Amino acid sequence: MDPRERNPGQEAVEAKGWLAANRWLILRRTSQLGLLLLFLLGPWFDIWIVKGNLASSLTLNTLPLTDPLLLLQELLAGQWPVSTAFIGAAIVLTFYFLVGGRVYCSWVCPVNLVTDSADWLRRRLGLRGGARFERATRYWMLGAVLMLALVTGTLAWEWINPVSMVFRGLIFGMGLAWFMVAAIFVFDLAVSRRGWCSHLCPAGAFYGLLGRGALLRVTADRREACDDCLDCFVVCPEQQVIRPALKGTGKGIGPVILSGECTNCGRCIDVCAQDVFHFTTRFNNHPPLVGHDEKSEVLP
């Protein structure tokens, strides 16, 4: 394996400094751990800023937030939620419509810490290959979760949902949650790269659908400066979203990544020494001028 594949972003560190080359990663970890702490302050220290969990919560006894996927399961199961659940779901839907549905995966979900760690170790060990899944697999998983609620009349998925299990474990004792965390880590490390988040997780599928029309996007607006180092491709949890925007594959393709599967994690921005990528809106997707020569395509 090319040493750069084991440590992508080294050139960016040398060009921009360590902090600038890890800025969005640091902010993501701060967001993930900070949200966990907010939820745990109550049961651990009796400081009730937020009550509940990522599925359903009440902040400062005023702001309700509800996972739209949970609400959908409840409706299919024949359970009629309280009115604040609909308000909370509407707030969450609006937020993720603006910033991108799979921002949940990269900035909120605690399981992302596990899968990112597995991917880091996989690169350090030089592991390649593994099981391959169709991209549609997670959407089939989402369909199965919804069908399960409809058929059983229960929220059966929430009992084995890794996020729910981790939250329950942190409050009442990890128990089986440790097994779930370890299973996802080993699966991503030894069986399939980014197997859980990128191929199987039904929540990721749901928020990917939600985020297809999101306003906040990553753009390769300086793609002419790309030197084909592949660092962005190595770190991206959804590698298939990069090529169209970066290489303009297709007539009139602009530099903005429009795929709902993009997690807006910002790692491509961090690791690029040439500052090819930036955050923008979907409205800045101006394709190159007719006749403009694009760089050769090297990305897989």
Side-chain angles (χ1 to χ4, degrees), residues 24-294:
W24 293 109
L25 176 62
I26 294 170
L27 289 173
R28 282 201 301 120
R29 294 292 177 255
T30 301
S31 172
Q32 291 166 327
L33 295 174
L35 286 171
L36 268 179
L37 179 60
L38 280 176
F39 281 105
L40 295 174
L41 282 176
W44 282 7
F45 305 107
D46 202 28
I47 302 174
W48 297 95
I49 298 175
V50 180
K51 298 177 182 178
N53 52 41
L54 284 177
S56 180
S57 66
L58 186 66
T59 302
L60 297 175
N61 290 320
T62 303
L63 177 66
L65 296 175
T66 306
D67 177 10
L69 179 56
L70 175 68
L71 179 64
L72 184 55
Q73 291 178 75
E74 290 181 327
L75 294 174
L76 289 173
Q79 303 175 16
W80 192 255
V82 296
S83 59
T84 53
F86 290 95
I87 297 173
I91 294 172
V92 172
L93 284 169
T94 301
F95 175 78
Y96 284 120
F97 175 76
L98 294 174
V99 303
R102 293 208 63 204
V103 164
Y104 169 83
C105 303
S106 58
W107 289 79
V108 178
C109 180
V111 176
N112 177 254
L113 295 164
V114 178
T115 58
D116 273 3
S117 298
D119 187 59
W120 176 85
L121 184 58
R122 183 180 174 90
R123 290 200 309 268
R124 299 298 292 181
L125 295 176
L127 300 179
R128 286 178 175 271
R132 292 182 176 274
F133 298 89
E134 293 293 330
R135 291 289 171 187
T137 303
R138 57 182 158 200
Y139 298 103
W140 286 107
M141 290 285 288
L142 174 60
V145 166
L146 298 178
M147 183 60 67
L148 189 63
L150 179 64
V151 171
T152 66
T154 68
L155 304 181
W157 163 247
E158 295 306 316
W159 287 102
I160 58 173
N161 181 349
V163 177
S164 301
M165 290 185 69
V166 167
F167 265 93
R168 290 195 299 267
L170 289 172
I171 296 173
F172 302 110
M174 289 295 283
L176 287 176
W178 281 124
F179 173 79
M180 178 64 76
V181 169
I184 291 175
F185 181 87
V186 172
F187 181 72
D188 274 26
L189 175 66
V191 178
S192 176
R193 177 187 183 270
R194 300 281 185 181
W196 175 252
C197 291
S198 294
H199 299 289
L200 299 180
C201 179
F206 177 82
Y207 281 105
L209 292 173
L210 178 61
R212 288 186 176 183
L215 300 182
L216 182 66
R217 296 292 185 180
V218 173
T219 178
D221 55 345
R222 296 190 67 250
R223 61 189 182 185
E224 72 282 352
C226 176
D227 61 1
D228 296 321
C229 72
L230 296 181
D231 280 2
C232 60
F233 187 79
V234 172
V235 300
C236 182
E238 297 286 350
Q239 296 171 330
Q240 75 280 1
V241 308
I242 292 182
R243 182 185 177 107
L246 183 59
K247 295 302 178 182
T249 52
K251 184 178 180 180
I253 297 296
V256 174
I257 297 175
L258 294 176
S259 172
E261 294 177 347
C262 176
T263 68
N264 278 354
C265 68
R267 280 304 281 158
C268 57
I269 302 174
D270 281 344
V271 303
C272 182
Q274 309 302 322
D275 285 328
V276 168
F277 300 94
H278 301 91
F279 278 116
T280 187
T281 70
R282 67 184 301 114
F283 304 115
N284 289 328
N285 194 27
H286 306 297
L289 297 175
V290 176
H292 176 70
D293 292 329
E294 295 288 348

